[in-house]
Amino acid sequence: MRQLILFCTFLFTGFLQAQSIKLEGVLKDNLNNPIETANVMAINTTTKAMDAYNITNEKGRFALNLKPNTEYVIKAGYIGFAPFEKKITTSNQNMTFDISLQENNEIEAVEIVKEMPVRISGDTIIYNSDSFTNGTERKLEDVLKKLPGVEVNKDGEIEVEGKKVQKVMVEGKDFFDGDTKIATKNIPADALDKIQVLRNYNEVSNLKGLENNEENIALNIKLKEGKKNFWFGDMMAGAGVSDQVDRYILNPKLFYYNPKYSINVIGNLNNIGELPLTMQDYFKFTGGFKNLMKKGGSTFNVTSNDLGIMGMRNNRAQNIDTKFGATNFSYNPSKAWTISGFGIYSYNKTNLLTENLYNRTDRDGTKVTENKTDQSRQRTDLGLFKLSSSYVPNTKIHFDYDALLKFSSQLENQSTLSSLQGDIYTVKKQKPLAINQNLNYYYTLNEKNVFAFEMQNLFQEEDPFYNANLTLQPFNLNGYNNAQLRNDINQERLVKTNKTDAKLDYYYSLTPKSNINITLGNTYSYQNFNSKIFQILDNGSVNHLDAPENNNNVNYSFNDVFLGLHYKFLTGKFTFNPGVSFHQFNTADKQLGSTNKMSFTRVLPDFYALWQIKKSQTLTYTYSMTNSFTDINKLAQGYIFSNYNSLFSGNRFLENSLAHVHSLRFFKYSMFNFENISANLTYTRQVDAITNRALLAGVNQISSSVNMPSNFPNESLSGFGSYGRSFLRYFKADVNARLSWSKNNNIRVNFDNSEYIQSTEQFSQIYSASFATNFKQLPNLTLEYEYTINDFQNQIYYVDNPSILLEYFFLDAFSFTSEYSFYHNRNKQKTINTEYDFLTASLSYRKKDSKMEYKIGATNLLNTKTLNDSSFNALGGSSNFSSYYVQPRYVVFSLKYNL
């Protein structure tokens, strides 16, 4: 079946190519100089439709695929030149047609540009949304996937030219700053007019040209005229049935935009597995806060104490109930002052059923195998609130303040049946709270002197509680009572963090193409860590395990003062930005009745070089030497339960690790044929790495943290390559490759307390290819194939994943969409060889200009029971193969009212 679809698609492509002729030529100015990124289009005089368009390359060349024996009006335009128009009639042969533009600075000269599906204005690429849609699109995500050079991954994150989009705006106003998924999943497709890709994005105009912003990309959505100054959106409600329970969904979306203020309101209640915000999204949601110390050369990352209550993505669980509400606003009290913010609340109730196969082969040849079934019941309440203020009274002053509040309440009850350890019941619960504040002030004294002050504070409080009720207690804890029918072990933790980053930057422009940047910065963190282990006896009384190794009461302070110096200069096609930072580090931890202090200095260089090969072709090299410090979680020496079969003890004498990171990136983007090439290679060598020292007994382990000797560095090499191209206007093809190799060193402890260094290597390869059509009147196909190889110490797993997406808008009212994915998981030895597939389909009906839309949708039509996945653990040298149960087949009928 898959081969037949591929054959028919490429046969159809060849048929279309045979039915067209090529009109090509060169576009020049009146001095005979080629004009790059000029717009050329062909208007069919009979249908009045634009049959082809093109944007000239650096040599002024253009090419149009046209119908034979047809009359066209050829239009061309470029800002600063008078528009060009001329009628031609094609024949059955390819044609050559050169164009000469005459200079003209009148406004009418750019009218031709506005009609183009794609145009370039400086660092901005502007897509005309209607030029790429076929009627099946319902949200922003559906449109973005059809734009040349734009991708949307499975997590709803947007990538442009191989780079992740950091911000989405609507009419220049932030849309849930810090996350792009909410935008891609909720902004209605029929409201879109233009999609602007803002390359080299810097929202602080004072710093433009002073910093390296080549990796910064933002999107700005321009709305259709009928969507401004009016409420728009839709109200959707649906109900359905499945094999087990009734299904429902309620999903209102309301939007209002005018120049003074904007309001967005989104709601979602469902039990069909539609998750607007997952736990993964929650933990990575920064609210747009920046990494202030990226130029400082040192990192001090606050580790999350979450207990691993992560849930699943979308309908990949046994059952999910969701309640979600979000609002985003922006208000301009004056032209200089903007107040904005958002509030998000999410409730998820999730049931997970997972079957696991654990395998490990030790150095002496001993094999450990465990079969395990986990049944989890999770409940999570998540809250995110942000308030922002930006004051820009003139071009010299820019003042920002942001505050982000994150809180959650999470509970997980899990029952486990292990082939080695019997039945186990665990409870995890936590209510973390974090407040992040950001204050920025930018001042331009004159064209040569610019000052920037940035400060960020994080206050975080975490209180994870863990309980395990076991048949067998794998650890011999001091003070533990073994004379019980069941082993009921508990641990309470409380971790408080107060961390402040502040830096003052001074930029002095030596020439229009060079500047010096002096940075004075400081990172200060103070943390407190308390934990205690206790046992509930069979009679209900509490046995406090008061031995020092079972409890923690730790205070830890970290201070980094640094002075940085960077020199940026442009020469020809090259940009160089070498730099160095001088650091004074001071740390102190207090525990077990004593204080351990460290104080030292370090010089950390970095280097940036950019070769602008052509206007849209670059090669970038970066190097950094980075000092990485652990936080209090790996310094607290009392035992911490990572799981019922895993104990961890920190090490207060840990020192920092030193990482050398080299990165090489190539990028090419041609608007002439929408060719997009990107490649990246990154090598990291980490010396004195903070790694694990572990004693493994079967599936149980006791571990601690140590600094690996410098002659055993951790190394990683990762590469990414992508080639994409749109052709004949109706087709889009991409091929990608992601390679990742890593070598990690850990210390394994034998039962006689002797130890040895265990080096593990992992090599992952992911290859993918896709081909998509984008017709207005015909059915459209998206064909994808992904092949994955995971090699871990010669334990090799393979995954084949072909998929097909069918979209068809017909009879000016019906929209049919169906997606099929097939997965084949296997290992090299063929002891694991499983297959599963997943099929969804929907049919909607909406007359032109009608407010009502009717839809029937079905998920998991093949009633697939389980999905499979494989993972590896470098510490244990083990592999884990999992099968997790998913929601059964269900059908939902819904009504949507469009405002």
Side-chain angles (χ1 to χ4, degrees):
M1 181 63 182
R2 293 192 296 274
Q3 289 82 357
L4 178 62
I5 293 172
L6 283 169
F7 174 76
C8 292
T9 301
F10 287 106
L11 184 66
F12 187 43
T13 304
F15 171 76
L16 286 176
Q17 288 178 309
Q19 298 299 309
S20 67
I21 63 101
K22 180 176 287 188
L23 175 74
E24 55 185 344
V26 177
L27 188 148
K28 299 181 179 180
D29 61 16
N30 54 339
L31 298 177
N32 212 33
N33 297 313
I35 302 177
E36 185 179 2
T37 68
N39 302 277
V40 184
M41 67 173 70
I43 306 298
N44 190 313
T45 58
T46 303
T47 64
K48 307 301 180 183
M50 181 176 60
D51 281 0
Y53 67 92
N54 200 212
I55 295 176
T56 59
N57 65 9
E58 68 276 6
K59 296 180 180 179
R61 183 171 173 264
F62 66 90
L64 303 171
N65 290 287
L66 304 177
K67 298 174 183 176
N69 303 314
T70 305
E71 185 179 70
Y72 286 98
V73 174
I74 303 299
K75 295 185 176 184
Y78 190 74
I79 296 175
F81 291 84
F84 173 91
E85 287 191 18
K86 186 175 181 180
K87 280 188 179 181
I88 67 162
T89 301
T90 61
S91 64
N92 290 317
Q93 303 296 322
N94 293 336
M95 301 175 63
T96 300
F97 183 80
D98 293 335
I99 298 173
S100 178
L101 297 184
Q102 302 299 313
E103 288 190 20
N104 185 345
N105 293 318
E106 297 179 11
I107 296 177
E108 66 177 24
V110 300
E111 288 301 313
I112 176 67
V113 177
K114 295 183 179 179
E115 302 177 42
M116 288 293 294
V118 186
R119 59 190 172 96
I120 296 178
S121 177
D123 285 331
T124 303
I125 303 175
I126 305 169
Y127 296 93
N128 181 24
S129 175
D130 288 343
S131 300
F132 297 93
T133 56
N134 55 45
T136 60
E137 302 80 13
R138 291 296 178 266
K139 48 187 180 273
L140 174 63
E141 175 183 38
D142 303 327
V143 179
L144 293 177
K145 289 179 178 178
K146 296 175 180 177
L147 303 182
V150 181
E151 301 291 337
V152 181
N153 64 26
K154 294 179 181 179
D155 292 325
E157 296 173 327
I158 309 167
E159 294 182 358
V160 176
E161 303 168 355
K163 308 169 188 175
K164 282 190 178 180
V165 171
Q166 300 166 336
K167 179 192 289 282
V168 173
M169 298 173 285
V170 178
E171 293 292 333
K173 302 178 186 297
D174 289 347
F175 191 88
F176 293 94
D177 189 22
D179 178 73
T180 60
K181 177 180 176 180
I182 296 179
T184 59
K185 300 292 185 182
N186 290 283
I187 295 177
D190 59 4
L192 308 177
D193 181 25
K194 301 290 190 298
I195 300 173
Q196 300 176 332
V197 175
L198 310 177
R199 298 180 292 182
N200 303 322
Y201 179 73
N202 192 328
E203 56 190 334
V204 181
S205 60
N206 308 64
L207 302 181
K208 285 188 176 179
L210 299 175
E211 296 188 326
N212 305 314
N213 301 309
E214 285 75 16
E215 298 297 313
N216 297 348
I217 293 184
L219 284 190
N220 182 44
I221 308 300
K222 303 293 288 185
L223 301 173
K224 292 179 178 176
E225 287 302 321
K227 304 299 181 181
K228 301 174 185 177
N229 298 308
F230 295 97
W231 282 98
F232 69 93
D234 54 68
M235 307 283 288
M236 191 266 277
V241 294
S242 70
D243 296 341
Q244 298 175 355
V245 297
D246 294 335
R247 302 287 170 176
Y248 66 87
I249 182 171
L250 179 64
N251 186 202
K253 305 172 188 175
L254 299 172
F255 309 90
Y256 184 88
Y257 282 88
N258 71 23
K260 194 172 182 66
Y261 65 91
S262 67
I263 302 174
N264 308 296
V265 181
I266 302 169
N268 196 319
L269 285 79
N270 76 85
N271 66 348
I272 65 173
E274 188 173 293
L275 286 176
L277 188 77
T278 67
M279 284 299 299
Q280 290 90 342
D281 298 327
Y282 172 81
F283 283 116
K284 70 184 180 183
F285 204 113
T286 63
F289 283 76
K290 299 180 293 184
N291 178 13
L292 296 189
M293 298 304 161
K294 61 182 179 181
K295 293 193 301 182
S298 65
T299 62
F300 180 84
N301 295 318
V302 177
T303 306
S304 173
N305 276 274
D306 71 271
L307 293 167
I309 310 175
M310 298 299 289
M312 302 300 291
R313 275 202 304 258
N314 297 328
N315 51 19
R316 304 301 198 257
Q318 193 178 31
N319 190 63
I320 306 176
D321 284 299
T322 296
K323 296 178 178 63
F324 175 84
T327 182
N328 181 79
F329 79 94
S330 179
Y331 174 62
N332 293 90
S334 67
K335 290 183 178 180
W337 188 17
T338 301
I339 302 173
S340 62
F342 60 76
I344 300 173
Y345 170 75
S346 178
Y347 167 86
N348 295 324
K349 184 180 179 182
T350 308
N351 291 341
L352 300 169
L353 178 59
T354 309
E355 296 176 347
N356 299 281
L357 174 61
Y358 173 93
N359 281 298
R360 188 183 81 244
T361 301
D362 287 337
R363 190 184 191 186
D364 60 0
T366 303
K367 293 185 177 182
V368 179
T369 300
E370 180 188 32
N371 289 288
K372 188 171 64 171
T373 302
D374 295 321
Q375 175 75 62
S376 301
R377 294 161 298 282
Q378 300 176 353
R379 190 196 71 223
T380 60
D381 289 270
L382 311 175
L384 291 155
F385 296 92
K386 183 183 179 184
L387 182 65
S388 300
S389 174
S390 180
Y391 181 63
V392 189
N394 50 55
T395 57
K396 289 189 173 184
I397 296 175
H398 187 127
F399 178 74
D400 290 332
Y401 172 77
D402 304 282
L404 175 68
L405 169 66
K406 298 172 66 174
F407 65 88
S408 66
S409 176
Q410 303 162 49
L411 172 66
E412 178 185 81
N413 290 283
Q414 184 177 79
S415 59
T416 300
L417 183 61
S418 165
S419 61
L420 298 180
Q421 296 182 306
D423 57 321
I424 303 152
Y425 303 94
T426 60
V427 177
K428 301 176 182 178
K429 57 183 178 180
Q430 56 194 16
K431 293 183 178 180
L433 169 73
I435 302 173
N436 209 330
Q437 299 181 81
N438 198 49
L439 180 70
N440 303 316
Y441 181 75
Y442 308 94
Y443 178 64
T444 301
L445 179 64
N446 51 47
E447 63 180 10
K448 284 187 172 294
N449 298 275
V450 177
F451 297 87
F453 175 73
E454 299 172 316
M455 182 170 68
Q456 185 168 292
N457 175 261
L458 169 66
F459 173 78
Q460 181 171 282
E461 187 175 282
E462 300 171 291
D463 62 343
F465 171 80
Y466 182 73
N467 165 254
N469 191 298
L470 309 98
T471 304
L472 303 172
Q473 169 58 264
F475 305 112
N476 185 22
L477 298 172
N478 192 355
Y480 188 81
N481 187 335
N482 291 296
Q484 306 295 309
L485 295 176
R486 295 286 297 182
N487 295 277
D488 193 330
I489 195 73
N490 304 265
Q491 184 168 56
E492 294 178 342
R493 275 186 274 168
L494 180 63
V495 186
K496 291 184 179 181
T497 299
N498 200 318
K499 176 174 174 278
T500 300
D501 296 306
K503 69 183 181 76
L504 176 65
D505 280 291
Y506 169 62
Y507 298 90
Y508 178 72
S509 297
L510 298 169
T511 69
K513 293 187 176 182
S514 65
N515 68 75
I516 293 176
N517 170 215
I518 300 174
T519 305
L520 178 63
N522 177 235
T523 294
Y524 176 77
S525 174
Y526 184 81
Q527 295 180 292
N528 177 258
F529 188 112
N530 284 283
S531 70
K532 60 179 181 179
I533 299 176
F534 59 94
Q535 178 188 14
I536 304 296
L537 303 180
D538 291 345
N539 60 11
S541 61
V542 178
N543 174 28
H544 295 283
L545 279 64
D546 293 327
E549 64 267 27
N550 298 328
N551 298 275
N552 282 295
N553 184 3
V554 187
N555 296 317
Y556 177 61
S557 63
F558 170 87
N559 193 59
D560 171 18
V561 179
F562 70 91
L563 178 67
L565 177 64
H566 288 80
Y567 174 48
K568 180 180 178 181
F569 62 98
L570 285 71
T571 174
K573 295 184 177 182
F574 295 91
T575 300
F576 296 100
N577 192 3
V580 64
S581 56
F582 306 88
H583 293 256
Q584 172 63 48
F585 298 104
N586 294 280
T587 68
D589 82 90
K590 184 179 180 181
Q591 58 181 309
L592 302 174
S594 64
T595 301
N596 179 50
K597 295 182 178 181
M598 285 193 297
S599 179
F600 63 97
T601 60
R602 183 64 57 89
V603 179
L604 301 172
D606 61 87
F607 184 76
Y608 172 92
L610 170 69
W611 179 19
Q612 191 77 45
I613 304 171
K614 294 180 181 178
K615 191 171 184 178
S616 294
Q617 185 174 346
T618 61
L619 182 65
T620 306
Y621 169 75
T622 59
Y623 165 76
S624 64
M625 182 186 294
T626 305
N627 253 15
S628 297
F629 292 85
T630 185
D631 71 346
I632 198 170
N633 289 278
K634 289 190 176 181
L635 302 174
Q637 295 205 164
Y639 283 129
I640 297 296
F641 275 101
S642 304
N643 204 346
Y644 61 86
N645 62 351
S646 177
L647 267 183
F648 173 79
S649 173
N651 178 3
R652 67 186 304 188
F653 300 107
L654 284 178
E655 298 179 357
N656 65 284
S657 63
L658 187 67
H660 300 268
V661 182
H662 301 262
S663 179
L664 188 65
R665 177 185 177 86
F666 174 78
F667 162 72
K668 179 184 179 182
Y669 188 66
S670 171
M671 296 298 291
F672 171 69
N673 54 12
F674 298 110
E675 182 183 61
N676 178 29
I677 304 173
S678 60
N680 184 71
L681 187 66
T682 301
Y683 172 72
T684 302
R685 178 183 174 89
Q686 195 169 26
V687 182
D688 298 324
I690 298 174
T691 188
N692 291 287
R693 179 182 185 273
L695 169 65
L696 274 67
V699 293
N700 307 310
Q701 71 176 43
I702 300 176
S703 61
S704 183
S705 292
V706 294
N707 286 103
M708 183 60 60
S710 58
N711 57 331
F712 287 92
N714 285 349
E715 297 177 279
S716 66
L717 179 66
S718 61
F720 167 77
S722 174
Y723 178 83
R725 182 174 175 178
S726 297
F727 51 99
L728 291 179
R729 188 182 175 186
Y730 303 107
F731 304 97
K732 180 180 178 182
D734 298 277
V735 291
N736 298 278
R738 293 181 182 272
L739 308 177
S740 177
W741 171 85
S742 62
K743 180 179 181 180
N744 293 285
N745 298 290
N746 295 285
I747 296 177
R748 288 284 299 274
V749 182
N750 298 314
F751 289 105
D752 60 2
N753 211 32
S754 62
E755 58 186 43
Y756 63 92
I757 292 177
Q758 173 183 269
S759 295
T760 56
E761 295 187 30
Q762 182 174 349
F763 183 36
S764 298
Q765 306 166 66
I766 303 176
Y767 304 96
S768 62
S770 67
F771 176 83
T773 66
N774 192 15
F775 302 112
K776 292 286 186 180
Q777 305 295 330
L778 298 174
N780 286 292
L781 289 175
T782 300
L783 303 170
E784 295 186 20
Y785 176 74
E786 185 175 275
Y787 179 58
T788 302
I789 307 173
N790 279 321
D791 182 353
F792 181 79
Q793 301 290 93
N794 292 320
Q795 300 180 67
I796 304 177
Y797 286 83
Y798 306 92
V799 181
D800 293 288
N801 176 209
S803 64
I804 180 171
L805 172 66
L806 171 64
E807 299 175 301
Y808 188 26
F809 183 73
F810 57 99
L811 301 179
D812 293 326
F814 290 93
S815 178
F816 177 75
T817 302
S818 181
E819 184 172 8
Y820 172 78
S821 297
F822 174 82
Y823 297 84
H824 181 199
N825 289 272
R826 61 199 184 279
N827 61 358
K828 186 177 182 180
Q829 295 78 16
K830 299 294 179 69
T831 56
I832 294 175
N833 193 358
T834 63
E835 297 179 352
Y836 66 90
D837 47 11
F838 215 76
L839 175 64
T840 63
S842 67
L843 177 66
S844 60
Y845 171 78
R846 181 187 175 188
K847 287 185 177 180
K848 187 177 182 181
D849 300 324
S850 173
K851 297 288 187 181
M852 291 297 298
E853 178 177 293
Y854 308 87
K855 177 181 177 181
I856 183 169
T859 299
N860 196 5
L861 275 166
L862 304 176
N863 210 25
T864 298
K865 301 297 183 183
T866 60
L867 307 184
N868 304 314
D869 195 15
S870 57
S871 60
F872 304 97
N873 185 306
L875 174 61
S878 61
S879 65
N880 191 70
F881 187 82
S882 302
S883 297
Y884 51 93
Y885 287 76
V886 296
Q887 294 186 109
R889 177 196 303 119
Y890 57 82
V891 179
V892 174
F893 176 76
S894 61
L895 298 174
K896 183 166 70 173
Y897 178 77
N898 295 276
L899 298 180

